[in-house]
Amino acid sequence: MIGGGALGAATAYHLRRLGVQDVVLLERDALGSGSTSKAAGGIRAQFADELNIRIALRSLDEFESFGEEISFRQHGYLFLLDRLEDVATFRAALALQQSLGVQSRELTPAQAAEIVPQLEIGDLLAATYCERDGYATPEAVVQHYARESDATILQGCAATGIRVQQDRIVGVETSAGRIDTDTVVCCAGVWSRDVGALAGVPLPVEGEARSMWFTPEDGGLPERVPLTIDFSTGFYFHREGPGLAFGGRERALEDVAVAAARRLPVLADLPVQSSWWGWYDVSPDWNALVGEAREVSRFLYATGFSGHGFQQAPAVGEHLAELVVGREPTLDLSPFSAERFAAGAERPETFVV
Ligand SMILES: Cc1cc2nc3c(=O)[nH]c(=O)nc-3n(C[C@H](O)[C@H](O)[C@H](O)COP(=O)(O)OP(=O)(O)OC[C@H]3O[C@@H](n4cnc5c(N)ncnc54)[C@H](O)[C@@H]3O)c2cc1C
């Protein structure tokens, strides 16, 4: 296993559950130090792509089973819509979500304001809400998986080469020496392109920098604040300790601040106490890249999550573990193969932030 973020740790955990004993997880820095530690922690079943909804339902079961250990706050996800075309798209997605058992529903702007009274709703057309959604602490999820996996975890140890003979993997070179193996699972996040190249496997993932900011006070918002997203601008926020966490599609605070102050005016009066930025691991159609490479035998990968990798880790980790042991996958994720682009089978997810 290469990469100790949410995906690598979840896969190690599921390999253990399937009875695999000799798992080695390589992390060149520290567990969770990549994109996972920079995530907002959002977990939602409100997607437009059926496969993402199925992944979410499977993952929600697992997150719920971890309970307080991962600080899973099921305070819902609230999407705010101010464009007619978005209302139509979200209504179609709600019908699909509900047909799969998701209890998402449409709200009027006034109903959205009952949940978060500080919202400016004058220009809103509609909102959608799902109570089962929420947010958790990504590093806690990684630690939980790592602890339960019983894998050999080598932190500060980079994979530097993959030895291939006649299209078969025979070993991995690391900064601490060589490991003999016939199987590599690449969970290296935005760096998966480089790891794939070590084995001659093209993985079309690019980094896109995203920032988050934190306030020390909450502006009087309710105790239960859903992860609220102003969909047209990408501005989002949720409660974080005594204050708020917020972000958007832009990297700079002055750009996100425009939409933020318009939708949540109290935010304009709150000081920013801290911030961070990290990489979105983005694929060409903003959907995940998951599967087993054709170029070389037993090179498996999961990357390109385009802003929703943390929340998909349980179901995708389970899937990778099933591929490793040759078990019939619980979910058919073959449409997410990295080969879909060459085959002209792109699969765009529209509910991306
Ligand atoms: C600001 C922000 C907000 C986000 N919000 C959300 C959200 O609300 N919900 C959500 O689901 N997702 C969110 N995301 C996206 C999410 O963070 C990622 O999709 C997810 O964390 C990817 O996890 P990963 O395990 O694949 O990658 P990472 O966490 O990046 O882990 C990859 C690891 O591989 C290691 N590595 C790389 N190369 C090597 C090598 N050669 N040898 C050994 N180790 C190596 C790295 O050090 C790294 O630790 C957000 C991202 C950002 C930046």
Side-chain angles (χ1 to χ4, degrees):
M1 190 95 49
I2 301 177
L7 268 300
T11 307
Y13 168 85
H14 281 284
L15 282 168
R16 167 84 196 278
R17 291 188 73 179
L18 294 181
V20 182
Q21 304 285 353
D22 53 350
V23 176
V24 179
L25 190 158
L26 302 178
E27 167 51 55
R28 67 178 173 194
D29 193 330
L31 279 179
S33 60
S35 297
T36 298
S37 62
K38 304 297 188 289
I43 296 166
R44 61 174 153 115
Q46 293 186 75
F47 280 97
D49 183 317
E50 176 173 343
L51 214 39
N52 285 331
I53 300 168
R54 291 188 185 281
I55 288 173
L57 287 170
R58 186 99 194 138
S59 296
L60 271 163
D61 286 343
E62 192 156 298
F63 284 127
E64 284 169 347
S65 75
F66 295 167
E68 287 185 4
E69 195 161 349
I70 62 165
S71 302
F72 188 14
R73 286 144 282 176
Q74 287 181 287
H75 297 177
Y77 246 76
L78 179 65
F79 279 99
L80 308 173
L81 309 173
D82 60 6
R83 294 186 302 210
L84 266 177
E85 64 267 30
D86 291 339
V87 175
T89 313
F90 273 72
R91 279 191 183 142
L94 278 183
L96 177 63
Q97 291 157 17
Q98 289 163 1
S99 74
L100 296 170
V102 178
Q103 293 187 342
S104 47
R105 61 185 198 274
E106 183 173 340
L107 302 181
T108 63
Q111 287 171 321
E114 282 171 23
I115 300 174
V116 185
Q118 290 79 1
L119 287 174
E120 170 53 56
I121 58 166
D123 61 331
L124 286 186
L125 300 174
T128 70
Y129 181 61
C130 178
E131 213 155 18
R132 194 181 173 197
D133 297 344
Y135 49 99
T137 304
E139 300 92 320
V141 171
V142 172
Q143 291 298 333
H144 179 78
Y145 277 136
R147 211 166 36 246
E148 299 290 320
S149 74
D150 217 23
T152 301
I153 296 174
L154 303 178
Q155 300 187 70
C157 182
T160 54
I162 296 175
R163 295 170 62 91
V164 178
Q165 287 174 4
Q166 290 163 346
D167 298 335
R168 295 191 167 275
I169 291 172
V170 295
V172 173
E173 304 288 351
T174 83
S175 50
R178 178 176 162 183
I179 298 172
D180 292 328
T181 180
D182 65 356
T183 305
V184 167
V185 183
C186 170
C187 293
V190 72
W191 304 279
S192 295
R193 180 187 284 266
D194 303 334
V195 171
L198 297 177
V201 176
L203 292 174
V205 55
E206 301 279 352
E208 192 170 303
R210 294 296 179 98
S211 305
M212 287 189 67
W213 296 271
F214 301 85
T215 67
E217 299 151 34
D218 63 9
L221 266 69
E223 194 51 42
R224 285 173 68 88
V225 177
L227 202 156
T228 304
I229 300 181
D230 188 47
F231 188 66
S232 64
T233 64
F235 162 64
Y236 66 87
F237 63 91
H238 64 68
R239 176 176 281 287
E240 192 65 41
L244 301 176
F246 68 98
R249 295 196 182 103
E250 294 88 2
R251 171 92 191 262
L253 178 57
E254 52 271 29
D255 295 330
V256 174
V258 179
R262 190 159 52 85
R263 185 60 68 212
L264 189 67
V266 293
L267 197 53
D269 298 326
L270 298 178
V272 168
Q273 188 174 47
S274 59
S275 69
W276 69 46
W277 73 272
W279 294 112
Y280 262 27
D281 47 318
V282 176
S283 79
D285 61 4
W286 291 73
N287 239 331
L289 307 170
V290 180
E292 182 162 0
R294 201 179 286 173
E295 292 78 2
V296 57
S297 140
R298 290 184 73 75
F299 181 96
L300 298 97
Y301 56 85
T303 181
F305 290 96
S306 308
H308 42 265
F310 160 64
Q311 62 193 282
Q312 297 199 327
V316 175
E318 175 183 58
H319 183 77
L320 289 175
E322 289 168 338
L323 292 183
V324 168
V325 302
R327 176 188 274 223
E328 180 77 21
T330 304
L331 292 176
D332 177 11
L333 300 188
S334 57
F336 283 167
S337 159
E339 282 147 25
R340 66 182 181 270
F341 304 105
E346 286 89 352
R347 199 184 163 101
E349 167 60 60
T350 41
F351 287 15
V352 288
V353 179

